[in-house]
Amino acid sequence: MVVAMSSSCPGLYCGRLMVNGSVERECGVCPRGERTNLQKACERCTESPELYDWLYLGFMAMLPLVLHWFFIEWYSGKKSSSALLQHITAMVECGVSAVVTLLVTEPIGLLSIRSCRVQMLSDWYTMLYNPSPDYVTTMHCTQEAVYPLYTMVLIYYAFCLVLMMLLRPLLVKKIACGLGKSDRLKSVYAALYFFPVLTVLQAVGGGLLYYAFPYIILVLSLVTLAVYMSASEIQSLKNLIAKKKRLVVLLSHWIIHAYGIISISRLDKLDQDLPLLALVPGPALFYLLTAKFTEPSRILSEGANGH
C-alpha cells in the first residue's frame, strides 16, 4: 500500500515507494471505487449507502418521471384518453431503468450498491482541487470520491432515454388517436430537451443538490400545490372531492411533502421525527381555510365599495 502525504483532494494519493532499494515518490489518482482514507491511502469503498443517500438517489430518479408526467398531461389535456396509459408507461420506463442501474452497479447483479461516504461538499468537485506541489506541475485528481452517487444518476438517465426512445413512440402511435399527428410525440420531444438539462444539472450541481434537495422538495411541493388549487378554482373541501383527479394530485403532493420532511429529519430520532409527518396536510388545509379571503372578485368588490 502506498502511504500518502497530505493532499486536499480526496481521490489523490502521493507517497513514497521502494523501487530497487531506492525511495521514489509516486503520486496518482485512486482507481474508481476507491478514495483516500484518514491515512491518505487509497481504500476500496465497501460501505452501504445511508438513508439520506438513498433519498437523494430517489429524488434524482423522480425528476425525469415527474417531468414526463407533466409534459404528457400538458400536451394530452382533454383531447385524448391515452394520457393515463402514457403515465403508466413513463413510470415503467423509469422503474426498469432504476432496477437495471442497480444491477449494473457494483456489486453487479444485486439490487444493492457499495459506496464511499460523502464527507463534505468538496468530495463532489475533486476537479477543483488539483494540487501543484512545486507550483509548476499540476497533478490532476479528478475522481469520483462519492462513488457511485455521481455517475449512477447519469447512467440512470441514459437508460431512461434509451427505453423511452424504444417504447414511447410505438405506444403513442398506437393509442394517441385523439391527438393530431403533430401533437402525438410532443411529450417525447420535450424529454429530448429536459434529459440534457438534467444531465448538466447533475454534472455541475450534483453536490449542491445533494445537500439542498430536501428543501427544494418542500418549496416545490408547496408552490405547485398552491398553483394547482388556484388554477382549478378549488376553494372548499366540496370542490376538492368533486373529481378523483384532484384527490390523486393532492395525495401525490402529500407524498412528496412527506418525502421532503423525512429527508430533512433523516429519521435519526423516530420519537421526535415521525410526529413531523402530521404537518403534511397543513398547507392544503391552510389554503382551503384562507381561499375565501383572497378571492380576487371579492377583493375588487370591497375595494369598489370603499372598504
Side-chain angles (χ1 to χ4, degrees), residues 24-41:
E24 295 185 3
R25 191 181 185 206
E26 182 187 60
C27 297
V29 179
C30 293
R32 186 171 185 266
E34 298 183 12
R35 66 167 291 167
T36 53
N37 55 18
L38 295 177
Q39 289 73 38
K40 299 300 180 181

Side-chain angles (χ1 to χ4, degrees), residues 96-114:
V96 172
S97 299
V99 172
V100 174
T101 302
L102 287 173
L103 292 176
V104 301
T105 304
E106 294 186 10
I108 297 176
L110 298 177
L111 293 176
S112 61
I113 58 176
R114 60 178 184 85

Side-chain angles (χ1 to χ4, degrees), residues 149-257:
L149 302 182
Y150 191 89
T151 55
M152 190 176 181
V153 175
L154 301 177
I155 294 172
Y156 166 74
Y157 289 162
F159 281 125
C160 285
L161 183 60
V162 171
L163 286 178
M164 182 197 70
M165 294 301 297
L166 291 176
L167 300 179
R168 195 82 64 81
L170 296 176
L171 175 72
V172 172
K173 186 177 180 180
K174 291 287 186 181
I175 66 176
C177 300
L179 296 173
K181 291 184 178 180
S182 61
D183 297 331
R184 291 183 180 182
L185 295 176
K186 280 188 175 181
S187 61
V188 178
Y189 295 151
L192 296 180
Y193 282 99
F194 70 67
F195 268 118
V197 172
L198 291 177
T199 301
V200 173
L201 186 65
Q202 167 66 7
V204 177
L208 299 175
L209 288 174
Y210 179 81
Y211 290 100
F213 82 89
Y215 308 98
I216 295 175
I217 289 176
L218 289 181
V219 172
L220 289 181
S221 65
L222 290 174
V223 172
T224 55
L225 179 62
V227 171
Y228 176 78
M229 297 183 75
S230 176
S232 302
E233 299 182 353
I234 300 174
Q235 298 183 0
S236 64
L237 183 61
K238 183 179 180 180
N239 297 138
L240 180 62
I241 64 177
K243 296 181 180 180
K244 294 181 179 179
K245 181 179 179 180
R246 294 177 178 178
L247 293 176
V248 172
V249 172
L250 178 64
L251 181 61
S252 301
H253 279 87
W254 283 0
I255 293 174
I256 294 174
H257 200 74

Side-chain angles (χ1 to χ4, degrees), residues 2-16 25-30 35-42 119-120 122-123 125-134 137-143 145:
V2 178
V3 180
M5 301 190 308
S6 62
S7 171
S8 59
C9 182
L12 179 71
Y13 70 86
C14 190
R16 292 183 173 88
R25 191 181 185 206
E26 182 187 60
C27 297
V29 179
C30 293
R35 66 167 291 167
T36 53
N37 55 18
L38 295 177
Q39 289 73 38
K40 299 300 180 181
C42 293
Q119 300 176 7
M120 58 187 70
S122 59
D123 291 348
Y125 303 103
T126 55
M127 74 289 292
L128 302 179
Y129 294 88
N130 295 330
S132 301
D134 53 4
T137 304
T138 300
M139 299 171 56
H140 297 281
C141 67
T142 303
Q143 187 251 12

